[in-house]
Amino acid sequence: MADDPAQGSGYHVTLTVAGAAVTVVGASGAALGHIAALRDAGARVTVVATEVTAAVVDLAERGLLTWHARDFDADLDLPGTRLVVAATGDAARDGCVAARCQAHDVWCVTPAPAVTRPRPARGEVTLVGAGPGDPGLLTLAGRAALRAADVVVTDRLVPLAALRELAPHAEVVDVGKVPRGRATPQHEINRLLVEHALAGRRVVRFKGGDSFLFGRGGEELAACAAAGVPTSVVPGVSSALAVPALAGIPVTHRGLTQGVSVVSGHVPPGDERSSVNYAALARSGTTIVLLMAVATLPDIARALLAAGLPTDTPAATVADGSLTHQRVVRGTLADIAERVAASGVKPPAVTVIGAVAGFDPTSVDAP
Ligand SMILES: C[S@@+](CC[C@H](N)C(=O)[O-])C[C@H]1O[C@@H](n2cnc3c(N)ncnc32)[C@H](O)[C@@H]1O
């Protein structure tokens, strides 16, 4: 595992962890980042901590890691372990774990010592768009805000590996919605942001894609403004444009279309909560990009067909864009819903409808 050279001088060691047993001790914010990064690197991760965030519980319940809800015990936790990450959020406890590892000849990583910074007179909130999931698509400004944070209020569909770079004292509040599980109401998220900032902390709201595109960022900004909390925004790489791009779909390819419409399909056409005019959308001549529309795709396709969009209009659904398990299902407006259902693709996914969904770079003449 390579340390980021930007973090400072020192020895940078690369350790192959694919298939190896790795133990993360503690449940600090940095621990969550290490867990994500180690999983991405193919390690078999065990977490030892009395309390963990919802993200860890979710991973454990899905069998993607092992969680022991107890304190670290060298006799139980070190045999067969290639690497230990001690990230309890308490330097003294991390030091004890590291000492036991050294005694057992096991590699141990501890977070960098905290840099003491003056606490700002007033706290602040930074709304950081995290991009579609790949840590490489988090902006430099977003990473800098995370490193400076005292508190990170995070969603689940963000590049959690980026949390490795948090200051050791930083607290992570996981408000991510677990599928079929609990969700933190937006008013409670707003309250958390304001409360931590008024206590003088630097708060980052870490949100998938861009905070202002179906991201409730406007509501969070308004709540902070109402409480007099200084707020700034770090825009994120939105899945609406990035996910099609990652599948090679140029959403406004010159000569094919002069625009793109981004629509939320979280409720179907005809539903009293839907404010989308699908008949107008079908006649708009723009590429249609649908978010939150896996379950509603059959109804949306039917509405667009009924409004006159040709059956052979190219369509593509891209799931888990930017992640190693990204999948693309291609078809036409007539059969995309059926193909998506048959493929077993699950959210998160973006569907593109329009000529650009059939874009083939090998058949385009160079300018
Ligand atoms: C609540 S919206 C948030 C959008 C986000 N603010 C953005 O700008 O990307 C969630 C939807 O974004 C899309 N999405 C987010 N990440 C994605 C990914 N990695 N791959 C495919 N779709 C994604 C899916 O349509 C998902 O249902």
PDB file of all heavy atoms in Angstrom, residues 131-133 157 207-215 237-240 243 290-293 318-323 347-350, ligand 1:
ATOM      1  N   GLY A 131     -17.810  13.319  -6.577  1.00  0.00           N
ATOM      2  CA  GLY A 131     -17.658  12.594  -7.839  1.00  0.00           C
ATOM      3  C   GLY A 131     -18.387  11.263  -7.787  1.00  0.00           C
ATOM      4  O   GLY A 131     -19.018  10.911  -6.777  1.00  0.00           O
ATOM      5  N   PRO A 132     -18.323  10.483  -8.875  1.00  0.00           N
ATOM      6  CA  PRO A 132     -19.164   9.289  -8.977  1.00  0.00           C
ATOM      7  C   PRO A 132     -18.667   8.054  -8.226  1.00  0.00           C
ATOM      8  O   PRO A 132     -19.352   7.039  -8.225  1.00  0.00           O
ATOM      9  CB  PRO A 132     -19.184   9.017 -10.491  1.00  0.00           C
ATOM     10  CG  PRO A 132     -17.943   9.636 -11.007  1.00  0.00           C
ATOM     11  CD  PRO A 132     -17.628  10.797 -10.131  1.00  0.00           C
ATOM     12  N   GLY A 133     -17.513   8.110  -7.575  1.00  0.00           N
ATOM     13  CA  GLY A 133     -17.099   6.952  -6.780  1.00  0.00           C
ATOM     14  C   GLY A 133     -15.618   6.658  -6.820  1.00  0.00           C
ATOM     15  O   GLY A 133     -15.034   6.263  -5.824  1.00  0.00           O
ATOM     16  N   LEU A 157     -22.337   6.521  -1.021  1.00  0.00           N
ATOM     17  CA  LEU A 157     -21.835   6.361  -2.391  1.00  0.00           C
ATOM     18  C   LEU A 157     -20.773   7.414  -2.706  1.00  0.00           C
ATOM     19  O   LEU A 157     -20.842   8.117  -3.701  1.00  0.00           O
ATOM     20  CB  LEU A 157     -22.989   6.474  -3.405  1.00  0.00           C
ATOM     21  CG  LEU A 157     -23.999   5.326  -3.402  1.00  0.00           C
ATOM     22  CD1 LEU A 157     -25.133   5.599  -4.383  1.00  0.00           C
ATOM     23  CD2 LEU A 157     -23.314   4.009  -3.749  1.00  0.00           C
ATOM     24  N   LYS A 207     -20.595  14.408  -0.368  1.00  0.00           N
ATOM     25  CA  LYS A 207     -21.818  13.982  -1.059  1.00  0.00           C
ATOM     26  C   LYS A 207     -21.456  13.470  -2.453  1.00  0.00           C
ATOM     27  O   LYS A 207     -20.617  14.071  -3.125  1.00  0.00           O
ATOM     28  CB  LYS A 207     -22.682  15.258  -1.162  1.00  0.00           C
ATOM     29  CG  LYS A 207     -24.028  15.090  -1.708  1.00  0.00           C
ATOM     30  CD  LYS A 207     -25.012  14.810  -0.623  1.00  0.00           C
ATOM     31  CE  LYS A 207     -26.217  14.168  -1.243  1.00  0.00           C
ATOM     32  NZ  LYS A 207     -27.224  13.811  -0.303  1.00  0.00           N
ATOM     33  N   GLY A 208     -22.101  12.405  -2.914  1.00  0.00           N
ATOM     34  CA  GLY A 208     -21.772  11.828  -4.223  1.00  0.00           C
ATOM     35  C   GLY A 208     -22.014  12.797  -5.371  1.00  0.00           C
ATOM     36  O   GLY A 208     -22.935  13.621  -5.319  1.00  0.00           O
ATOM     37  N   GLY A 209     -21.198  12.694  -6.417  1.00  0.00           N
ATOM     38  CA  GLY A 209     -21.364  13.512  -7.613  1.00  0.00           C
ATOM     39  C   GLY A 209     -21.185  14.984  -7.303  1.00  0.00           C
ATOM     40  O   GLY A 209     -20.188  15.381  -6.694  1.00  0.00           O
ATOM     41  N   ASP A 210     -22.149  15.803  -7.694  1.00  0.00           N
ATOM     42  CA  ASP A 210     -22.144  17.231  -7.393  1.00  0.00           C
ATOM     43  C   ASP A 210     -23.291  17.506  -6.419  1.00  0.00           C
ATOM     44  O   ASP A 210     -24.404  17.008  -6.609  1.00  0.00           O
ATOM     45  CB  ASP A 210     -22.338  18.043  -8.689  1.00  0.00           C
ATOM     46  CG  ASP A 210     -22.288  19.530  -8.408  1.00  0.00           C
ATOM     47  OD1 ASP A 210     -21.180  20.078  -8.444  1.00  0.00           O
ATOM     48  OD2 ASP A 210     -23.342  20.126  -8.128  1.00  0.00           O
ATOM     49  N   SER A 211     -23.006  18.324  -5.400  1.00  0.00           N
ATOM     50  CA  SER A 211     -24.007  18.542  -4.342  1.00  0.00           C
ATOM     51  C   SER A 211     -25.271  19.229  -4.850  1.00  0.00           C
ATOM     52  O   SER A 211     -26.330  19.115  -4.243  1.00  0.00           O
ATOM     53  CB  SER A 211     -23.419  19.410  -3.231  1.00  0.00           C
ATOM     54  OG  SER A 211     -22.206  18.888  -2.797  1.00  0.00           O
ATOM     55  N   PHE A 212     -25.145  19.972  -5.955  1.00  0.00           N
ATOM     56  CA  PHE A 212     -26.283  20.765  -6.428  1.00  0.00           C
ATOM     57  C   PHE A 212     -27.054  20.074  -7.541  1.00  0.00           C
ATOM     58  O   PHE A 212     -27.973  20.650  -8.108  1.00  0.00           O
ATOM     59  CB  PHE A 212     -25.809  22.149  -6.897  1.00  0.00           C
ATOM     60  CG  PHE A 212     -25.487  23.104  -5.759  1.00  0.00           C
ATOM     61  CD1 PHE A 212     -24.990  24.370  -6.008  1.00  0.00           C
ATOM     62  CD2 PHE A 212     -25.687  22.734  -4.440  1.00  0.00           C
ATOM     63  CE1 PHE A 212     -24.708  25.249  -4.972  1.00  0.00           C
ATOM     64  CE2 PHE A 212     -25.403  23.593  -3.397  1.00  0.00           C
ATOM     65  CZ  PHE A 212     -24.910  24.861  -3.658  1.00  0.00           C
ATOM     66  N   LEU A 213     -26.672  18.845  -7.906  1.00  0.00           N
ATOM     67  CA  LEU A 213     -27.453  18.129  -8.917  1.00  0.00           C
ATOM     68  C   LEU A 213     -28.123  16.941  -8.211  1.00  0.00           C
ATOM     69  O   LEU A 213     -27.462  15.939  -7.916  1.00  0.00           O
ATOM     70  CB  LEU A 213     -26.574  17.640 -10.077  1.00  0.00           C
ATOM     71  CG  LEU A 213     -27.470  17.167 -11.215  1.00  0.00           C
ATOM     72  CD1 LEU A 213     -27.554  18.208 -12.319  1.00  0.00           C
ATOM     73  CD2 LEU A 213     -27.030  15.851 -11.775  1.00  0.00           C
ATOM     74  N   PHE A 214     -29.382  17.086  -7.884  1.00  0.00           N
ATOM     75  CA  PHE A 214     -30.122  16.074  -7.129  1.00  0.00           C
ATOM     76  C   PHE A 214     -29.349  15.672  -5.871  1.00  0.00           C
ATOM     77  O   PHE A 214     -29.340  14.502  -5.485  1.00  0.00           O
ATOM     78  CB  PHE A 214     -30.414  14.843  -7.992  1.00  0.00           C
ATOM     79  CG  PHE A 214     -31.161  15.154  -9.256  1.00  0.00           C
ATOM     80  CD1 PHE A 214     -30.747  14.624 -10.476  1.00  0.00           C
ATOM     81  CD2 PHE A 214     -32.275  15.968  -9.241  1.00  0.00           C
ATOM     82  CE1 PHE A 214     -31.437  14.922 -11.648  1.00  0.00           C
ATOM     83  CE2 PHE A 214     -32.974  16.270 -10.400  1.00  0.00           C
ATOM     84  CZ  PHE A 214     -32.548  15.744 -11.612  1.00  0.00           C
ATOM     85  N   GLY A 215     -28.709  16.674  -5.233  1.00  0.00           N
ATOM     86  CA  GLY A 215     -27.856  16.355  -4.082  1.00  0.00           C
ATOM     87  C   GLY A 215     -28.284  17.046  -2.795  1.00  0.00           C
ATOM     88  O   GLY A 215     -27.573  16.957  -1.802  1.00  0.00           O
ATOM     89  N   VAL A 237     -17.686  16.233  -9.659  1.00  0.00           N
ATOM     90  CA  VAL A 237     -17.871  15.657 -10.997  1.00  0.00           C
ATOM     91  C   VAL A 237     -19.188  14.881 -10.950  1.00  0.00           C
ATOM     92  O   VAL A 237     -19.302  13.880 -10.239  1.00  0.00           O
ATOM     93  CB  VAL A 237     -16.691  14.711 -11.331  1.00  0.00           C
ATOM     94  CG1 VAL A 237     -16.931  13.991 -12.639  1.00  0.00           C
ATOM     95  CG2 VAL A 237     -15.383  15.496 -11.372  1.00  0.00           C
ATOM     96  N   SER A 238     -20.186  15.373 -11.682  1.00  0.00           N
ATOM     97  CA  SER A 238     -21.509  14.759 -11.567  1.00  0.00           C
ATOM     98  C   SER A 238     -21.615  13.483 -12.402  1.00  0.00           C
ATOM     99  O   SER A 238     -21.127  13.426 -13.532  1.00  0.00           O
ATOM    100  CB  SER A 238     -22.593  15.738 -12.019  1.00  0.00           C
ATOM    101  OG  SER A 238     -23.841  15.085 -11.964  1.00  0.00           O
ATOM    102  N   SER A 239     -22.309  12.510 -11.835  1.00  0.00           N
ATOM    103  CA  SER A 239     -22.529  11.244 -12.565  1.00  0.00           C
ATOM    104  C   SER A 239     -23.313  11.489 -13.857  1.00  0.00           C
ATOM    105  O   SER A 239     -23.201  10.717 -14.804  1.00  0.00           O
ATOM    106  CB  SER A 239     -23.283  10.250 -11.680  1.00  0.00           C
ATOM    107  OG  SER A 239     -24.574  10.748 -11.386  1.00  0.00           O
ATOM    108  N   ALA A 240     -24.105  12.576 -13.898  1.00  0.00           N
ATOM    109  CA  ALA A 240     -24.960  12.814 -15.063  1.00  0.00           C
ATOM    110  C   ALA A 240     -24.135  12.938 -16.341  1.00  0.00           C
ATOM    111  O   ALA A 240     -24.562  12.484 -17.406  1.00  0.00           O
ATOM    112  CB  ALA A 240     -25.785  14.084 -14.849  1.00  0.00           C
ATOM    113  N   VAL A 243     -20.593   9.682 -15.914  1.00  0.00           N
ATOM    114  CA  VAL A 243     -20.849   8.243 -16.098  1.00  0.00           C
ATOM    115  C   VAL A 243     -21.056   7.905 -17.589  1.00  0.00           C
ATOM    116  O   VAL A 243     -20.450   6.958 -18.086  1.00  0.00           O
ATOM    117  CB  VAL A 243     -21.988   7.767 -15.173  1.00  0.00           C
ATOM    118  CG1 VAL A 243     -22.450   6.373 -15.515  1.00  0.00           C
ATOM    119  CG2 VAL A 243     -21.515   7.842 -13.713  1.00  0.00           C
ATOM    120  N   LEU A 290     -31.159  10.103 -17.659  1.00  0.00           N
ATOM    121  CA  LEU A 290     -32.047   9.779 -16.535  1.00  0.00           C
ATOM    122  C   LEU A 290     -31.232   9.322 -15.335  1.00  0.00           C
ATOM    123  O   LEU A 290     -30.407   8.395 -15.454  1.00  0.00           O
ATOM    124  CB  LEU A 290     -32.998   8.645 -16.915  1.00  0.00           C
ATOM    125  CG  LEU A 290     -33.931   8.879 -18.105  1.00  0.00           C
ATOM    126  CD1 LEU A 290     -34.627   7.562 -18.481  1.00  0.00           C
ATOM    127  CD2 LEU A 290     -34.960   9.945 -17.762  1.00  0.00           C
ATOM    128  N   LEU A 291     -31.467   9.933 -14.174  1.00  0.00           N
ATOM    129  CA  LEU A 291     -30.856   9.471 -12.924  1.00  0.00           C
ATOM    130  C   LEU A 291     -31.963   8.862 -12.070  1.00  0.00           C
ATOM    131  O   LEU A 291     -33.148   9.229 -12.207  1.00  0.00           O
ATOM    132  CB  LEU A 291     -30.214  10.646 -12.178  1.00  0.00           C
ATOM    133  CG  LEU A 291     -28.734  10.944 -12.525  1.00  0.00           C
ATOM    134  CD1 LEU A 291     -28.574  11.346 -13.969  1.00  0.00           C
ATOM    135  CD2 LEU A 291     -28.173  12.026 -11.609  1.00  0.00           C
ATOM    136  N   MET A 292     -31.596   7.986 -11.166  1.00  0.00           N
ATOM    137  CA  MET A 292     -32.541   7.354 -10.231  1.00  0.00           C
ATOM    138  C   MET A 292     -33.709   6.724 -10.988  1.00  0.00           C
ATOM    139  O   MET A 292     -34.870   6.885 -10.594  1.00  0.00           O
ATOM    140  CB  MET A 292     -33.072   8.398  -9.225  1.00  0.00           C
ATOM    141  CG  MET A 292     -32.008   8.947  -8.312  1.00  0.00           C
ATOM    142  SD  MET A 292     -32.634  10.275  -7.256  1.00  0.00           S
ATOM    143  CE  MET A 292     -32.293  11.691  -8.283  1.00  0.00           C
ATOM    144  N   ALA A 293     -33.419   6.040 -12.080  1.00  0.00           N
ATOM    145  CA  ALA A 293     -34.507   5.580 -12.945  1.00  0.00           C
ATOM    146  C   ALA A 293     -34.374   4.107 -13.328  1.00  0.00           C
ATOM    147  O   ALA A 293     -34.816   3.716 -14.406  1.00  0.00           O
ATOM    148  CB  ALA A 293     -34.543   6.458 -14.203  1.00  0.00           C
ATOM    149  N   VAL A 318     -25.736   2.746 -17.772  1.00  0.00           N
ATOM    150  CA  VAL A 318     -24.395   2.530 -17.209  1.00  0.00           C
ATOM    151  C   VAL A 318     -24.535   2.459 -15.691  1.00  0.00           C
ATOM    152  O   VAL A 318     -24.989   3.425 -15.069  1.00  0.00           O
ATOM    153  CB  VAL A 318     -23.435   3.681 -17.592  1.00  0.00           C
ATOM    154  CG1 VAL A 318     -22.014   3.352 -17.164  1.00  0.00           C
ATOM    155  CG2 VAL A 318     -23.519   3.988 -19.089  1.00  0.00           C
ATOM    156  N   ALA A 319     -24.178   1.320 -15.114  1.00  0.00           N
ATOM    157  CA  ALA A 319     -24.300   1.137 -13.660  1.00  0.00           C
ATOM    158  C   ALA A 319     -22.924   1.161 -13.012  1.00  0.00           C
ATOM    159  O   ALA A 319     -21.932   0.755 -13.635  1.00  0.00           O
ATOM    160  CB  ALA A 319     -24.990  -0.187 -13.359  1.00  0.00           C
ATOM    161  N   ASP A 320     -22.865   1.658 -11.771  1.00  0.00           N
ATOM    162  CA  ASP A 320     -21.618   1.703 -10.999  1.00  0.00           C
ATOM    163  C   ASP A 320     -20.489   2.354 -11.787  1.00  0.00           C
ATOM    164  O   ASP A 320     -19.344   1.878 -11.787  1.00  0.00           O
ATOM    165  CB  ASP A 320     -21.211   0.283 -10.549  1.00  0.00           C
ATOM    166  CG  ASP A 320     -22.198  -0.290  -9.552  1.00  0.00           C
ATOM    167  OD1 ASP A 320     -22.591   0.442  -8.629  1.00  0.00           O
ATOM    168  OD2 ASP A 320     -22.593  -1.457  -9.711  1.00  0.00           O
ATOM    169  N   GLY A 321     -20.847   3.465 -12.457  1.00  0.00           N
ATOM    170  CA  GLY A 321     -19.861   4.168 -13.275  1.00  0.00           C
ATOM    171  C   GLY A 321     -18.635   4.561 -12.479  1.00  0.00           C
ATOM    172  O   GLY A 321     -18.743   5.002 -11.334  1.00  0.00           O
ATOM    173  N   SER A 322     -17.486   4.376 -13.058  1.00  0.00           N
ATOM    174  CA  SER A 322     -16.152   4.702 -12.522  1.00  0.00           C
ATOM    175  C   SER A 322     -15.628   3.660 -11.539  1.00  0.00           C
ATOM    176  O   SER A 322     -14.481   3.746 -11.113  1.00  0.00           O
ATOM    177  CB  SER A 322     -16.103   6.099 -11.852  1.00  0.00           C
ATOM    178  OG  SER A 322     -16.556   6.051 -10.510  1.00  0.00           O
ATOM    179  N   LEU A 323     -16.455   2.706 -11.159  1.00  0.00           N
ATOM    180  CA  LEU A 323     -15.989   1.681 -10.213  1.00  0.00           C
ATOM    181  C   LEU A 323     -15.503   0.458 -10.995  1.00  0.00           C
ATOM    182  O   LEU A 323     -15.817   0.292 -12.177  1.00  0.00           O
ATOM    183  CB  LEU A 323     -17.121   1.311  -9.244  1.00  0.00           C
ATOM    184  CG  LEU A 323     -17.671   2.531  -8.482  1.00  0.00           C
ATOM    185  CD1 LEU A 323     -18.839   2.150  -7.597  1.00  0.00           C
ATOM    186  CD2 LEU A 323     -16.563   3.188  -7.655  1.00  0.00           C
ATOM    187  N   PRO A 347     -29.188  -0.210  -9.117  1.00  0.00           N
ATOM    188  CA  PRO A 347     -28.725   1.165  -8.923  1.00  0.00           C
ATOM    189  C   PRO A 347     -27.389   1.161  -8.150  1.00  0.00           C
ATOM    190  O   PRO A 347     -27.149   0.196  -7.406  1.00  0.00           O
ATOM    191  CB  PRO A 347     -29.825   1.797  -8.073  1.00  0.00           C
ATOM    192  CG  PRO A 347     -31.005   0.885  -8.208  1.00  0.00           C
ATOM    193  CD  PRO A 347     -30.466  -0.485  -8.455  1.00  0.00           C
ATOM    194  N   PRO A 348     -26.569   2.182  -8.281  1.00  0.00           N
ATOM    195  CA  PRO A 348     -26.825   3.400  -9.035  1.00  0.00           C
ATOM    196  C   PRO A 348     -26.541   3.205 -10.524  1.00  0.00           C
ATOM    197  O   PRO A 348     -25.564   2.552 -10.889  1.00  0.00           O
ATOM    198  CB  PRO A 348     -25.830   4.396  -8.418  1.00  0.00           C
ATOM    199  CG  PRO A 348     -24.660   3.556  -8.014  1.00  0.00           C
ATOM    200  CD  PRO A 348     -25.248   2.238  -7.567  1.00  0.00           C
ATOM    201  N   ALA A 349     -27.406   3.785 -11.351  1.00  0.00           N
ATOM    202  CA  ALA A 349     -27.205   3.696 -12.791  1.00  0.00           C
ATOM    203  C   ALA A 349     -27.741   4.953 -13.462  1.00  0.00           C
ATOM    204  O   ALA A 349     -28.663   5.594 -12.967  1.00  0.00           O
ATOM    205  CB  ALA A 349     -27.919   2.467 -13.341  1.00  0.00           C
ATOM    206  N   VAL A 350     -27.138   5.271 -14.603  1.00  0.00           N
ATOM    207  CA  VAL A 350     -27.556   6.409 -15.421  1.00  0.00           C
ATOM    208  C   VAL A 350     -27.984   5.849 -16.771  1.00  0.00           C
ATOM    209  O   VAL A 350     -27.303   4.984 -17.320  1.00  0.00           O
ATOM    210  CB  VAL A 350     -26.359   7.385 -15.606  1.00  0.00           C
ATOM    211  CG1 VAL A 350     -26.648   8.395 -16.709  1.00  0.00           C
ATOM    212  CG2 VAL A 350     -26.047   8.110 -14.300  1.00  0.00           C
TER     213      VAL A 350
HETATM  214  C1  LIG B   1     -29.545  11.195  -5.580  1.00  0.00           C
HETATM  215  S1  LIG B   1     -28.816  11.156  -7.151  1.00  0.00           S
HETATM  216  C2  LIG B   1     -27.365  12.047  -6.811  1.00  0.00           C
HETATM  217  C3  LIG B   1     -26.628  12.521  -8.038  1.00  0.00           C
HETATM  218  C4  LIG B   1     -25.315  13.164  -7.712  1.00  0.00           C
HETATM  219  N1  LIG B   1     -25.514  14.351  -6.925  1.00  0.00           N
HETATM  220  C5  LIG B   1     -24.495  13.474  -8.939  1.00  0.00           C
HETATM  221  O1  LIG B   1     -24.283  14.651  -9.286  1.00  0.00           O
HETATM  222  O2  LIG B   1     -24.014  12.524  -9.569  1.00  0.00           O
HETATM  223  C6  LIG B   1     -28.248   9.478  -7.226  1.00  0.00           C
HETATM  224  C7  LIG B   1     -28.226   8.971  -8.654  1.00  0.00           C
HETATM  225  O3  LIG B   1     -27.055   9.389  -9.315  1.00  0.00           O
HETATM  226  C8  LIG B   1     -26.670   8.408 -10.246  1.00  0.00           C
HETATM  227  N2  LIG B   1     -25.319   7.922  -9.886  1.00  0.00           N
HETATM  228  C9  LIG B   1     -24.551   8.366  -8.896  1.00  0.00           C
HETATM  229  N3  LIG B   1     -23.353   7.733  -8.899  1.00  0.00           N
HETATM  230  C10 LIG B   1     -23.388   6.874  -9.932  1.00  0.00           C
HETATM  231  C11 LIG B   1     -22.464   5.936 -10.460  1.00  0.00           C
HETATM  232  N4  LIG B   1     -21.245   5.777  -9.931  1.00  0.00           N
HETATM  233  N5  LIG B   1     -22.829   5.210 -11.531  1.00  0.00           N
HETATM  234  C12 LIG B   1     -24.039   5.365 -12.099  1.00  0.00           C
HETATM  235  N6  LIG B   1     -24.956   6.238 -11.635  1.00  0.00           N
HETATM  236  C13 LIG B   1     -24.641   6.990 -10.575  1.00  0.00           C
HETATM  237  C14 LIG B   1     -27.702   7.303 -10.176  1.00  0.00           C
HETATM  238  O4  LIG B   1     -28.708   7.584 -11.125  1.00  0.00           O
HETATM  239  C15 LIG B   1     -28.206   7.465  -8.766  1.00  0.00           C
HETATM  240  O5  LIG B   1     -29.487   6.899  -8.602  1.00  0.00           O
END
